[in-house]
């Protein structure tokens, strides 16, 4: 098909109208749909990337929290043991005195 047929819908020259041919409209719509589909895919990829990043950050925070809790637990038990040992030492001194 000639370019005039796509653009003006006719044999060209004085017969051509000002409208866009259905073929050109279809091609433009297909291009627009393709462009929109690409944009949607790009946004979905960005969203997935952000989701993955957020999940990694949450995991890191949970690991840090678990580590801190374990350290606090260890420290508490150590302090209890030291306190108990000191108390036992004083009790032994009282008994021996």
């Amino acid at each position: 098909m000639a370019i005039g047929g796509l653009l003006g819908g006719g044999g060209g020259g004085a017969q051509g109208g000002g409208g866009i041919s259905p073929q050109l409209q279809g091609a433009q719509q297909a291009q627009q749909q393709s462009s929109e589909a690409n944009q949607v895919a790009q946004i979905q990829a960005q969203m997935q990337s952000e989701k993955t990043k957020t999940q990694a950050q949450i995991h890191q925070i949970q690991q840090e929290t678990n580590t801190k809790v374990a350290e606090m637990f260890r420290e508490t038990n150590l302090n209890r043991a030291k306190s108990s040992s000191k108390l036992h030492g004083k009790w032994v001194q009282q008994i021996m005195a």
Side-chain angles (χ1 to χ4, degrees), residues 36-66:
E36 289 173 357
N38 286 339
Q39 288 176 347
V40 167
Q42 188 177 24
I43 290 170
Q44 287 176 334
Q46 289 173 346
M47 289 172 59
Q48 183 61 39
S49 174
E50 285 295 321
K51 182 179 178 182
T52 301
K53 180 180 174 183
T54 300
Q55 288 174 339
Q57 289 172 337
I58 289 170
H59 179 72
Q60 181 181 357
I61 291 168
Q62 287 175 335
Q63 292 301 324
E64 290 172 357
T65 301
N66 289 343

Side-chain angles (χ1 to χ4, degrees), residues 21-89:
S21 73
Q23 292 90 355
L24 183 56
Q25 284 179 336
Q28 287 175 340
Q29 287 176 348
Q31 183 180 13
Q32 184 177 357
Q33 288 173 351
S34 176
S35 176
E36 289 173 357
N38 286 339
Q39 288 176 347
V40 167
Q42 188 177 24
I43 290 170
Q44 287 176 334
Q46 289 173 346
M47 289 172 59
Q48 183 61 39
S49 174
E50 285 295 321
K51 182 179 178 182
T52 301
K53 180 180 174 183
T54 300
Q55 288 174 339
Q57 289 172 337
I58 289 170
H59 179 72
Q60 181 181 357
I61 291 168
Q62 287 175 335
Q63 292 301 324
E64 290 172 357
T65 301
N66 289 343
T67 300
K68 286 287 187 184
V69 168
E71 288 174 2
M72 290 166 52
F73 182 75
R74 184 184 57 80
E75 190 73 25
T76 299
N77 285 337
L78 182 61
N79 288 339
R80 283 183 185 167
K82 287 179 182 178
S83 178
S84 178
S85 179
K86 286 180 184 178
L87 186 62
H88 179 71

